[in-house]
Amino acid sequence: MSQQKPTSHTTSQDQTAFAQKHTIGRRSILSGAAGLGSLSLFSAANATEKAFTQRTNTPSLLDPVSQYPTSPFPQQPQSWPGLQSHMTPRPDCGENSYKGSGRLKGRKALITGGDSGIGRAIAIAYAREGADIAINYLPQEESDAQEVAALIRKAGGKAITIAGDLRHEAFCKKLVATAARELGGLDILVNNAGRQHYCEDILDLTTEQFDWTLKTNIYALFWLVKAAIPHLPKGSSIINTSSRNAYDPSKILVDYAMTKAGIANMTHSLAKQLLPRGIRVNAVAPGPFWTPLQVCGAQPQSVVEHFGAETEYQRPGQPVEIAPLYVTLASSESSYVTGQVWGITGGNGVPG
Ligand code: NAD
Ligand code: MG
């Protein structure tokens, strides 16, 4: 499952040309030169050779279409909220592949739903980019959360694990306060936790279910943003998780799709309001990604079996494939990016 991602665009022609050029250079140094001058030239040649070896050791380019698993997937119902460790195949969150390059050095991030799926991939990527991280999750997900905490610590970052239910305003306030205190500040808030439960007929959609979805997806975001603002210095970033469903709603996800449209809309208004405070607000709108949410009630099992087959890739995305977008949005390199909803939908072009 976990594969090295290509990081170089070096072609074999490039490499051959480089090798020929370098071989000639080294030969002439060895045959024609003597004394101290030649030694320094020789070490320069060695350094070049080492750099070349590093270049050639980069993984070869892969076809993105066949890079990750395709359907059919085994049916695998789990009770909500589901565990990543019980999934087949296990989602790839970059555990063995994501490589950082210091893009978030010294940053302090709170990630909701950081135990599994997209949130786990964000946590791993942020840690390897140099950030300290607090993750929130539900008590039933403690084992998944501890796996993530271990990976963050292995990357050299501080890992704070805070279990609790985001449907309660008091908990949301406490979560932000604890994260800011334990991390020694806060400058990234990733609102990623989400509730998705399908219902085929609106006549069966209960008020309890409707309220559950809104509390998790909309109210919690509202409460977390309010609690976080006093902690966020200029240059901070809030990143929300919308969905392709915000733009092209599934007929069995009436409540969920509506909340994801709401999140996209709140992203636009909050971005305008918070820019004078130096805070950027953006959202990511994923298409189908292989995560626990999908196998514990978000879709009928018949859909799980063919999950992602409707995309141009004919496969779902893996969480590791979306994490770089959250890194880019959080990074100060994206200083002019606010109020945007960036789609990553498997080639279906929504949002456009
Ligand atoms: P996931 O199951 O791995 O993550 C969802 C997380 O939400 C859970 O791990 C859980 O910790 C958290 N959560 C749910 N209810 C909570 C509550 N009441 N209190 C605290 N935490 C709670 O699945 P995922 O797909 O990685 O989901 C992450 C986000 O991505 C969600 O907002 C989801 O709507 C969104 N999304 C996912 C897909 C997809 O295809 N997987 C597509 C579009 C959008
Ligand atoms: Mg989870």
Side-chain angles (χ1 to χ4, degrees):
M1 268 286 300
S2 300
Q3 300 185 35
Q4 294 281 331
K5 294 201 325 173
T7 55
S8 161
H9 296 285
T10 312
T11 65
S12 56
Q13 280 156 326
D14 282 346
Q15 290 165 357
T16 309
F18 187 95
Q20 280 167 350
K21 191 172 162 210
H22 175 63
T23 305
I24 293 162
R26 186 175 172 198
R27 218 178 273 137
S28 61
I29 289 164
L30 286 173
S31 59
L36 284 177
S38 70
L39 268 181
S40 64
L41 277 174
F42 184 55
S43 44
N46 263 347
T48 316
E49 193 163 85
K50 202 170 158 201
F52 171 60
T53 307
Q54 278 163 358
R55 283 176 74 200
T56 54
N57 280 348
T58 55
S60 53
L61 287 169
L62 299 172
D63 179 354
V65 178
S66 56
Q67 195 174 346
Y68 290 104
T70 49
S71 62
F73 298 104
Q75 296 203 0
Q76 46 191 296
Q78 282 194 48
S79 54
W80 180 86
L83 282 178
Q84 171 139 344
S85 57
H86 293 180
M87 285 182 74
T88 310
R90 275 189 65 134
D92 187 341
C93 293
E95 290 89 344
N96 299 317
S97 57
Y98 190 92
K99 288 190 173 54
S101 52
R103 295 176 73 192
L104 302 178
K105 199 165 187 301
R107 301 290 298 273
K108 300 166 195 309
L110 168 60
I111 304 167
T112 63
D115 58 299
S116 57
I118 293 171
R120 173 188 288 226
I122 300 167
I124 292 169
Y126 280 14
R128 294 187 187 167
E129 295 292 352
D132 289 329
I133 293 157
I135 59 167
N136 160 249
Y137 49 93
L138 287 158
Q140 305 95 298
E141 300 171 305
E142 189 65 41
S143 58
D144 272 357
Q146 288 307 326
E147 283 183 14
V148 177
L151 288 163
I152 296 170
R153 288 180 191 125
K154 200 171 165 202
K158 200 186 246 188
I160 313 295
T161 54
I162 311 168
D165 193 328
L166 294 171
R167 284 174 291 175
H168 305 291
E169 183 173 10
F171 174 71
C172 289
K173 286 181 176 169
K174 196 172 134 202
L175 170 64
V176 171
T178 310
R181 188 184 67 239
E182 297 291 322
L183 294 174
L186 192 66
D187 53 53
I188 303 172
L189 170 64
V190 180
N191 290 305
N192 166 72
R195 164 79 178 170
Q196 176 182 336
H197 205 83
Y198 81 92
C199 184
E200 280 167 353
D201 189 336
I202 192 161
L203 298 180
D204 297 327
L205 183 57
T206 64
T207 301
E208 188 203 8
Q209 171 69 36
F210 192 81
D211 194 51
W212 187 343
T213 308
L214 261 79
K215 280 271 161 43
T216 314
N217 298 359
I218 295 285
Y219 276 79
L221 187 151
F222 166 61
W223 292 325
L224 291 168
V225 167
K226 278 179 70 172
I229 287 170
H231 297 282
L232 299 177
K234 286 187 191 299
S236 296
S237 182
I238 297 174
I239 306 165
N240 301 322
T241 305
S242 178
S243 168
R244 181 179 197 277
N245 269 285
Y247 302 87
D248 183 16
S250 157
K251 65 181 175 188
I252 63 170
L253 295 172
V254 170
D255 52 338
Y256 172 81
M258 179 264 286
T259 63
K260 292 294 170 177
I263 291 169
N265 193 279
M266 280 172 83
T267 300
H268 299 310
S269 58
L270 283 172
K272 291 174 188 164
Q273 190 182 123
L274 298 184
L275 191 61
R277 290 180 186 264
I279 302 168
R280 296 182 297 106
V281 187
N282 293 287
V284 175
F289 277 78
W290 184 245
T291 68
L293 175 141
Q294 299 296 349
V295 301
C296 63
Q299 308 283 355
Q301 286 295 317
S302 55
V303 174
V304 168
E305 217 178 327
H306 303 288
F307 194 60
E310 75 286 2
T311 66
E312 296 301 316
Y313 283 64
Q314 297 177 20
R315 67 163 177 87
Q318 292 294 325
V320 66
E321 298 180 281
I322 201 169
L325 207 44
Y326 285 84
V327 171
T328 295
L329 288 172
S331 163
S332 301
E333 297 155 345
S334 301
S335 48
Y336 200 60
V337 181
T338 198
Q340 308 301 310
V341 181
W342 283 353
I344 177 157
T345 56
N348 288 357
V350 174

